[in-house]
Amino acid sequence: MTKLDFSDILKYRRSIRKYTSRDIEEDLLDEILNLGCRSSTTGNMQLYSIIITRDIEIKKKLSPAHFNQKMVTEAPVVLTICADFNRFNKWCKLRNAEPGYDNFLSFMTAAIDALIVSQTICIAAEANGLGICYLGTTTYMAQKIIEILELPIGVVPVTTITLGWPADLPDQTDRLSLDAVIHHEIYKDYTTEVIESIYTEKEGRSDSKQFVKENNKETLAQVFTDVRYKKGDNVLFSKAFLKVIEDQGFMNQ
Ligand SMILES: Cc1cc2nc3c(=O)[nH]c(=O)nc-3n(C[C@H](O)[C@H](O)[C@H](O)COP(=O)(O)O)c2cc1C
């Protein structure tokens, strides 16, 4: 597999949810993970751990925690990326240093580190021709994942990436125009007119219209609020995740 031009990797990327049966060689995965771990990291502490799952039995256990999304059992490699202060705390205690990391800020710090390393791994994988897909279900079902992967106190799973050789090339998804997301110098709040102009284009796309129709909704926004990311689910999973953060030792102060 030849390496792709860097701009093209970013420009043409898309999430891949179907994979061939081809495995990912150990050396290639190591190279990708090494590149990922060159990411910036708070204070050079590397406050993350990456659990590699190749074993189909463990994938089958993880599958319900990811709402049975097929990628979990079909991808040759599943990576669970965790915010991890456990390793650092242990080192501090061994070296007569008192860790003060049992608080929400420290959780956020480790979660940010974990997400940065995740994205660099994704780019490195895509540069090598692999396909990736993030799984947001990790934060919804963190407690289940903690049990399956035997994560100790100080460790919280924050995202999952499935990795494999692409079995299809789905259409690229749209993005808002740069104007919609960029603010110059200070935040310029969105007027109704600007919101109209930003989202009218998205709503006018044939795939958006199809999405609204399939979900029996009147507007695209309703597909998000009433079907995909509902308030009830958000509240339920928020409460569960807050408990996980507390149980894993990040809310003691
Ligand atoms: C944090 C995060 C969680 C995601 N969770 C899921 C998921 O659970 N299932 C899925 O099929 N795609 C998931 N995705 C992929 C997004 O749906 C995808 O990135 C988005 O629709 C844009 O498509 P693209 O990546 O092909 O450009 C997730 C992406 C992110 C960043």
Side-chain angles (χ1 to χ4, degrees), residues 55-75:
D55 182 342
I56 186 64
E57 293 311 318
I58 301 184
K59 287 179 190 166
K60 281 183 187 163
K61 283 189 195 167
L62 284 172
S63 180
H66 292 293
F67 302 167
N68 298 312
Q69 296 190 79
K70 283 190 174 157
M71 299 87 93
V72 176
T73 47
E74 290 177 1

Side-chain angles (χ1 to χ4, degrees), residues 87-154:
R87 182 178 62 246
F88 196 77
N89 285 343
K90 285 193 163 160
W91 176 61
C92 289
K93 284 175 188 162
L94 272 177
R95 296 290 181 267
N96 196 27
E98 186 52 39
Y101 309 119
D102 53 350
N103 45 64
F104 182 68
L105 183 79
S106 299
F107 167 72
M108 279 303 296
T109 303
I112 290 167
D113 264 20
L115 292 175
I116 290 172
V117 79
S118 300
Q119 183 53 25
T120 311
I121 288 168
C122 288
I123 296 170
E126 289 172 335
N128 280 279
L130 285 161
I132 66 96
C133 190
Y134 278 97
L135 300 180
T137 31
T138 308
T139 42
Y140 299 179
M141 299 293 279
Q143 183 53 42
K144 199 88 210 118
I145 293 168
I146 286 169
E147 288 161 21
I148 297 164
L149 301 180
E150 302 182 12
L151 307 180
I153 300 293

